[in-house]
Amino acid sequence: MSVFGALDVSATGMTAQQLRMDTISENIANVNTTRGKDGKPYKRKTVLFEEKSYPSFSESLSMANRHNIGKGVKASKIVEDNSEGSKVYDPSHPDADENGYVTYPNVNIVTEMTDLMIDATRAFEANVTVMNSTKGMALKALDIGQS
């Protein structure tokens, strides 16, 4: 894999993790949103990733022959979690149903912060480390070339 290929793969990873962190932030910001534009409680969102693919078999074969395996990662789509949110008895709430229960979003702040946000941050940091290491190798190769 070339130096620029490694930088590109790291950049796609950082871009994907940034979208993931933005989505987690949106979930946290809407933890108490009981009525959205559609009149229903906010639904938790997650990002699905997939490997960037080559458009044709011949391009795949060409890249494999040059030892360029993989092009990085991309976000394929953002999906809503359709599980039920928690119901809290609060008959004075404007969004309470006929029995006095309010349905809150299916967002768990502890899970979002501990599992997902930390995981996304660590993945982002790993991509930064790879990018810095690749940059260091390229600079060292230039130093060797000047000697």
mmCIF file of all heavy atoms in Angstrom, residues 56-88:
data_model
loop_
_atom_site.group_PDB
_atom_site.id
_atom_site.type_symbol
_atom_site.label_atom_id
_atom_site.label_comp_id
_atom_site.label_asym_id
_atom_site.label_seq_id
_atom_site.Cartn_x
_atom_site.Cartn_y
_atom_site.Cartn_z
ATOM 1 N N SER A 56 -15.500 -1.676 -10.320
ATOM 2 C CA SER A 56 -15.500 -2.787 -11.271
ATOM 3 C C SER A 56 -14.503 -3.853 -10.837
ATOM 4 O O SER A 56 -13.592 -3.606 -10.049
ATOM 5 C CB SER A 56 -15.139 -2.287 -12.670
ATOM 6 O OG SER A 56 -13.792 -1.855 -12.697
ATOM 7 N N PHE A 57 -14.673 -5.057 -11.413
ATOM 8 C CA PHE A 57 -13.770 -6.156 -11.111
ATOM 9 C C PHE A 57 -12.358 -5.849 -11.605
ATOM 10 O O PHE A 57 -11.381 -6.131 -10.915
ATOM 11 C CB PHE A 57 -14.271 -7.456 -11.745
ATOM 12 C CG PHE A 57 -13.346 -8.618 -11.513
ATOM 13 C CD1 PHE A 57 -13.289 -9.225 -10.274
ATOM 14 C CD2 PHE A 57 -12.513 -9.066 -12.524
ATOM 15 C CE1 PHE A 57 -12.420 -10.276 -10.045
ATOM 16 C CE2 PHE A 57 -11.647 -10.114 -12.297
ATOM 17 C CZ PHE A 57 -11.600 -10.729 -11.059
ATOM 18 N N SER A 58 -12.246 -5.248 -12.774
ATOM 19 C CA SER A 58 -10.917 -4.955 -13.319
ATOM 20 C C SER A 58 -10.159 -3.957 -12.434
ATOM 21 O O SER A 58 -8.948 -4.075 -12.242
ATOM 22 C CB SER A 58 -11.022 -4.438 -14.754
ATOM 23 O OG SER A 58 -11.742 -3.236 -14.788
ATOM 24 N N GLU A 59 -10.872 -2.976 -11.870
ATOM 25 C CA GLU A 59 -10.214 -2.033 -10.961
ATOM 26 C C GLU A 59 -9.796 -2.737 -9.673
ATOM 27 O O GLU A 59 -8.717 -2.487 -9.146
ATOM 28 C CB GLU A 59 -11.128 -0.849 -10.639
ATOM 29 C CG GLU A 59 -10.401 0.218 -9.857
ATOM 30 C CD GLU A 59 -11.252 1.423 -9.499
ATOM 31 O OE1 GLU A 59 -12.443 1.446 -9.840
ATOM 32 O OE2 GLU A 59 -10.713 2.326 -8.848
ATOM 33 N N SER A 60 -10.628 -3.647 -9.185
ATOM 34 C CA SER A 60 -10.263 -4.429 -7.993
ATOM 35 C C SER A 60 -9.006 -5.237 -8.244
ATOM 36 O O SER A 60 -8.090 -5.276 -7.419
ATOM 37 C CB SER A 60 -11.388 -5.392 -7.616
ATOM 38 O OG SER A 60 -12.416 -4.753 -6.983
ATOM 39 N N LEU A 61 -8.941 -5.889 -9.394
ATOM 40 C CA LEU A 61 -7.788 -6.706 -9.743
ATOM 41 C C LEU A 61 -6.537 -5.843 -9.886
ATOM 42 O O LEU A 61 -5.464 -6.193 -9.403
ATOM 43 C CB LEU A 61 -8.067 -7.468 -11.034
ATOM 44 C CG LEU A 61 -7.034 -8.495 -11.456
ATOM 45 C CD1 LEU A 61 -6.863 -9.558 -10.370
ATOM 46 C CD2 LEU A 61 -7.451 -9.138 -12.757
ATOM 47 N N SER A 62 -6.688 -4.691 -10.506
ATOM 48 C CA SER A 62 -5.568 -3.770 -10.689
ATOM 49 C C SER A 62 -5.027 -3.302 -9.341
ATOM 50 O O SER A 62 -3.814 -3.268 -9.125
ATOM 51 C CB SER A 62 -6.025 -2.579 -11.523
ATOM 52 O OG SER A 62 -5.046 -1.577 -11.535
ATOM 53 N N MET A 63 -5.908 -2.945 -8.426
ATOM 54 C CA MET A 63 -5.473 -2.486 -7.106
ATOM 55 C C MET A 63 -4.820 -3.624 -6.319
ATOM 56 O O MET A 63 -3.835 -3.400 -5.614
ATOM 57 C CB MET A 63 -6.650 -1.921 -6.316
ATOM 58 C CG MET A 63 -7.138 -0.607 -6.839
ATOM 59 S SD MET A 63 -5.863 0.643 -6.621
ATOM 60 C CE MET A 63 -6.442 1.882 -7.730
ATOM 61 N N ALA A 64 -5.351 -4.827 -6.423
ATOM 62 C CA ALA A 64 -4.770 -5.967 -5.708
ATOM 63 C C ALA A 64 -3.371 -6.273 -6.231
ATOM 64 O O ALA A 64 -2.472 -6.629 -5.463
ATOM 65 C CB ALA A 64 -5.673 -7.181 -5.832
ATOM 66 N N ASN A 65 -3.163 -6.121 -7.533
ATOM 67 C CA ASN A 65 -1.839 -6.365 -8.115
ATOM 68 C C ASN A 65 -0.820 -5.344 -7.636
ATOM 69 O O ASN A 65 0.371 -5.616 -7.608
ATOM 70 C CB ASN A 65 -1.911 -6.349 -9.643
ATOM 71 C CG ASN A 65 -2.563 -7.600 -10.184
ATOM 72 O OD1 ASN A 65 -2.580 -8.633 -9.532
ATOM 73 N ND2 ASN A 65 -3.109 -7.505 -11.387
ATOM 74 N N ARG A 66 -1.268 -4.160 -7.268
ATOM 75 C CA ARG A 66 -0.370 -3.118 -6.759
ATOM 76 C C ARG A 66 -0.304 -3.152 -5.227
ATOM 77 O O ARG A 66 0.197 -2.225 -4.614
ATOM 78 C CB ARG A 66 -0.827 -1.747 -7.237
ATOM 79 C CG ARG A 66 -0.611 -1.558 -8.727
ATOM 80 C CD ARG A 66 -0.885 -0.147 -9.120
ATOM 81 N NE ARG A 66 -2.316 -0.015 -9.357
ATOM 82 C CZ ARG A 66 -2.970 1.126 -9.480
ATOM 83 N NH1 ARG A 66 -2.323 2.255 -9.364
ATOM 84 N NH2 ARG A 66 -4.251 1.160 -9.704
ATOM 85 N N HIS A 67 -0.852 -4.181 -4.620
ATOM 86 C CA HIS A 67 -0.859 -4.368 -3.169
ATOM 87 C C HIS A 67 -1.651 -3.286 -2.449
ATOM 88 O O HIS A 67 -1.373 -2.972 -1.299
ATOM 89 C CB HIS A 67 0.554 -4.473 -2.602
ATOM 90 C CG HIS A 67 1.364 -5.555 -3.241
ATOM 91 N ND1 HIS A 67 1.085 -6.885 -3.049
ATOM 92 C CD2 HIS A 67 2.399 -5.507 -4.101
ATOM 93 C CE1 HIS A 67 1.930 -7.613 -3.748
ATOM 94 N NE2 HIS A 67 2.744 -6.802 -4.398
ATOM 95 N N ASN A 68 -2.615 -2.691 -3.134
ATOM 96 C CA ASN A 68 -3.526 -1.736 -2.506
ATOM 97 C C ASN A 68 -4.792 -2.488 -2.146
ATOM 98 O O ASN A 68 -5.713 -2.585 -2.944
ATOM 99 C CB ASN A 68 -3.875 -0.579 -3.450
ATOM 100 C CG ASN A 68 -2.841 0.504 -3.438
ATOM 101 O OD1 ASN A 68 -1.979 0.523 -2.580
ATOM 102 N ND2 ASN A 68 -2.924 1.406 -4.382
ATOM 103 N N ILE A 69 -4.813 -3.042 -0.977
ATOM 104 C CA ILE A 69 -5.977 -3.801 -0.542
ATOM 105 C C ILE A 69 -6.839 -2.891 0.316
ATOM 106 O O ILE A 69 -6.421 -2.443 1.367
ATOM 107 C CB ILE A 69 -5.569 -5.055 0.269
ATOM 108 C CG1 ILE A 69 -4.525 -5.862 -0.490
ATOM 109 C CG2 ILE A 69 -6.778 -5.884 0.616
ATOM 110 C CD1 ILE A 69 -4.959 -6.366 -1.840
ATOM 111 N N GLY A 70 -8.034 -2.621 -0.142
ATOM 112 C CA GLY A 70 -8.968 -1.794 0.609
ATOM 113 C C GLY A 70 -8.847 -0.321 0.269
ATOM 114 O O GLY A 70 -7.778 0.161 -0.090
ATOM 115 N N LYS A 71 -9.969 0.360 0.335
ATOM 116 C CA LYS A 71 -10.001 1.791 0.050
ATOM 117 C C LYS A 71 -10.476 2.589 1.244
ATOM 118 O O LYS A 71 -10.631 3.784 1.150
ATOM 119 C CB LYS A 71 -10.937 2.061 -1.130
ATOM 120 C CG LYS A 71 -10.392 1.578 -2.455
ATOM 121 C CD LYS A 71 -11.379 1.784 -3.574
ATOM 122 C CE LYS A 71 -11.440 3.216 -3.987
ATOM 123 N NZ LYS A 71 -12.260 3.424 -5.186
ATOM 124 N N GLY A 72 -10.749 1.927 2.351
ATOM 125 C CA GLY A 72 -11.216 2.638 3.522
ATOM 126 C C GLY A 72 -12.642 2.263 3.873
ATOM 127 O O GLY A 72 -13.163 1.234 3.459
ATOM 128 N N VAL A 73 -13.266 3.138 4.629
ATOM 129 C CA VAL A 73 -14.610 2.872 5.136
ATOM 130 C C VAL A 73 -15.516 4.043 4.768
ATOM 131 O O VAL A 73 -15.045 5.159 4.574
ATOM 132 C CB VAL A 73 -14.579 2.653 6.670
ATOM 133 C CG1 VAL A 73 -14.169 3.906 7.393
ATOM 134 C CG2 VAL A 73 -15.893 2.141 7.183
ATOM 135 N N LYS A 74 -16.805 3.762 4.656
ATOM 136 C CA LYS A 74 -17.779 4.822 4.424
ATOM 137 C C LYS A 74 -19.029 4.507 5.229
ATOM 138 O O LYS A 74 -19.295 3.354 5.569
ATOM 139 C CB LYS A 74 -18.117 4.971 2.944
ATOM 140 C CG LYS A 74 -18.866 3.798 2.366
ATOM 141 C CD LYS A 74 -19.214 4.056 0.918
ATOM 142 C CE LYS A 74 -19.980 2.861 0.348
ATOM 143 N NZ LYS A 74 -20.401 3.094 -1.018
ATOM 144 N N ALA A 75 -19.770 5.542 5.533
ATOM 145 C CA ALA A 75 -21.046 5.363 6.213
ATOM 146 C C ALA A 75 -22.076 5.010 5.151
ATOM 147 O O ALA A 75 -22.299 5.788 4.225
ATOM 148 C CB ALA A 75 -21.439 6.635 6.948
ATOM 149 N N SER A 76 -22.672 3.840 5.265
ATOM 150 C CA SER A 76 -23.641 3.431 4.246
ATOM 151 C C SER A 76 -24.997 4.070 4.500
ATOM 152 O O SER A 76 -25.679 4.478 3.570
ATOM 153 C CB SER A 76 -23.754 1.914 4.173
ATOM 154 O OG SER A 76 -24.126 1.374 5.421
ATOM 155 N N LYS A 77 -25.396 4.155 5.773
ATOM 156 C CA LYS A 77 -26.652 4.840 6.091
ATOM 157 C C LYS A 77 -26.779 5.041 7.585
ATOM 158 O O LYS A 77 -26.085 4.426 8.381
ATOM 159 C CB LYS A 77 -27.854 4.091 5.544
ATOM 160 C CG LYS A 77 -28.053 2.693 6.068
ATOM 161 C CD LYS A 77 -29.261 2.050 5.393
ATOM 162 C CE LYS A 77 -29.290 0.562 5.662
ATOM 163 N NZ LYS A 77 -30.441 -0.075 5.074
ATOM 164 N N ILE A 78 -27.694 5.928 7.936
ATOM 165 C CA ILE A 78 -28.034 6.168 9.331
ATOM 166 C C ILE A 78 -29.425 5.589 9.537
ATOM 167 O O ILE A 78 -30.357 5.922 8.800
ATOM 168 C CB ILE A 78 -28.019 7.673 9.657
ATOM 169 C CG1 ILE A 78 -26.611 8.227 9.465
ATOM 170 C CG2 ILE A 78 -28.506 7.925 11.076
ATOM 171 C CD1 ILE A 78 -26.496 9.727 9.644
ATOM 172 N N VAL A 79 -29.544 4.680 10.505
ATOM 173 C CA VAL A 79 -30.821 3.997 10.735
ATOM 174 C C VAL A 79 -31.378 4.359 12.109
ATOM 175 O O VAL A 79 -30.634 4.683 13.031
ATOM 176 C CB VAL A 79 -30.678 2.458 10.612
ATOM 177 C CG1 VAL A 79 -30.309 2.062 9.202
ATOM 178 C CG2 VAL A 79 -29.658 1.918 11.586
ATOM 179 N N GLU A 80 -32.689 4.287 12.205
ATOM 180 C CA GLU A 80 -33.365 4.540 13.474
ATOM 181 C C GLU A 80 -33.574 3.227 14.214
ATOM 182 O O GLU A 80 -33.910 2.211 13.609
ATOM 183 C CB GLU A 80 -34.721 5.200 13.239
ATOM 184 C CG GLU A 80 -34.640 6.640 12.835
ATOM 185 C CD GLU A 80 -36.004 7.304 12.733
ATOM 186 O OE1 GLU A 80 -37.038 6.604 12.851
ATOM 187 O OE2 GLU A 80 -36.038 8.516 12.525
ATOM 188 N N ASP A 81 -33.388 3.276 15.513
ATOM 189 C CA ASP A 81 -33.664 2.144 16.386
ATOM 190 C C ASP A 81 -35.156 2.205 16.722
ATOM 191 O O ASP A 81 -35.617 3.164 17.324
ATOM 192 C CB ASP A 81 -32.819 2.261 17.648
ATOM 193 C CG ASP A 81 -33.041 1.136 18.636
ATOM 194 O OD1 ASP A 81 -33.904 0.275 18.392
ATOM 195 O OD2 ASP A 81 -32.346 1.129 19.660
ATOM 196 N N ASN A 82 -35.908 1.193 16.315
ATOM 197 C CA ASN A 82 -37.355 1.218 16.504
ATOM 198 C C ASN A 82 -37.828 0.555 17.797
ATOM 199 O O ASN A 82 -39.011 0.262 17.937
ATOM 200 C CB ASN A 82 -38.050 0.580 15.302
ATOM 201 C CG ASN A 82 -37.967 1.460 14.077
ATOM 202 O OD1 ASN A 82 -38.107 2.676 14.182
ATOM 203 N ND2 ASN A 82 -37.701 0.866 12.935
ATOM 204 N N SER A 83 -36.905 0.335 18.732
ATOM 205 C CA SER A 83 -37.331 -0.232 20.013
ATOM 206 C C SER A 83 -38.138 0.809 20.789
ATOM 207 O O SER A 83 -38.016 2.010 20.551
ATOM 208 C CB SER A 83 -36.120 -0.695 20.822
ATOM 209 O OG SER A 83 -35.285 0.392 21.120
ATOM 210 N N GLU A 84 -38.942 0.333 21.702
ATOM 211 C CA GLU A 84 -39.797 1.226 22.501
ATOM 212 C C GLU A 84 -38.971 2.017 23.510
ATOM 213 O O GLU A 84 -38.029 1.505 24.087
ATOM 214 C CB GLU A 84 -40.841 0.412 23.263
ATOM 215 C CG GLU A 84 -42.052 0.048 22.438
ATOM 216 C CD GLU A 84 -42.883 1.263 22.053
ATOM 217 O OE1 GLU A 84 -43.135 2.136 22.913
ATOM 218 O OE2 GLU A 84 -43.259 1.343 20.872
ATOM 219 N N GLY A 85 -39.369 3.253 23.704
ATOM 220 C CA GLY A 85 -38.750 4.076 24.727
ATOM 221 C C GLY A 85 -39.393 3.803 26.079
ATOM 222 O O GLY A 85 -40.345 3.029 26.191
ATOM 223 N N SER A 86 -38.880 4.435 27.087
ATOM 224 C CA SER A 86 -39.428 4.233 28.436
ATOM 225 C C SER A 86 -40.705 5.037 28.612
ATOM 226 O O SER A 86 -40.872 6.110 28.045
ATOM 227 C CB SER A 86 -38.396 4.628 29.486
ATOM 228 O OG SER A 86 -38.074 5.999 29.351
ATOM 229 N N LYS A 87 -41.603 4.498 29.408
ATOM 230 C CA LYS A 87 -42.854 5.189 29.724
ATOM 231 C C LYS A 87 -42.796 5.634 31.178
ATOM 232 O O LYS A 87 -42.463 4.858 32.061
ATOM 233 C CB LYS A 87 -44.049 4.270 29.503
ATOM 234 C CG LYS A 87 -44.279 3.984 28.032
ATOM 235 C CD LYS A 87 -45.623 3.328 27.823
ATOM 236 C CE LYS A 87 -45.816 3.081 26.354
ATOM 237 N NZ LYS A 87 -46.980 3.685 25.826
ATOM 238 N N VAL A 88 -43.129 6.900 31.390
ATOM 239 C CA VAL A 88 -43.095 7.483 32.722
ATOM 240 C C VAL A 88 -44.474 8.067 33.012
ATOM 241 O O VAL A 88 -45.058 8.746 32.168
ATOM 242 C CB VAL A 88 -42.018 8.594 32.807
ATOM 243 C CG1 VAL A 88 -42.040 9.276 34.161
ATOM 244 C CG2 VAL A 88 -40.645 8.031 32.499
#
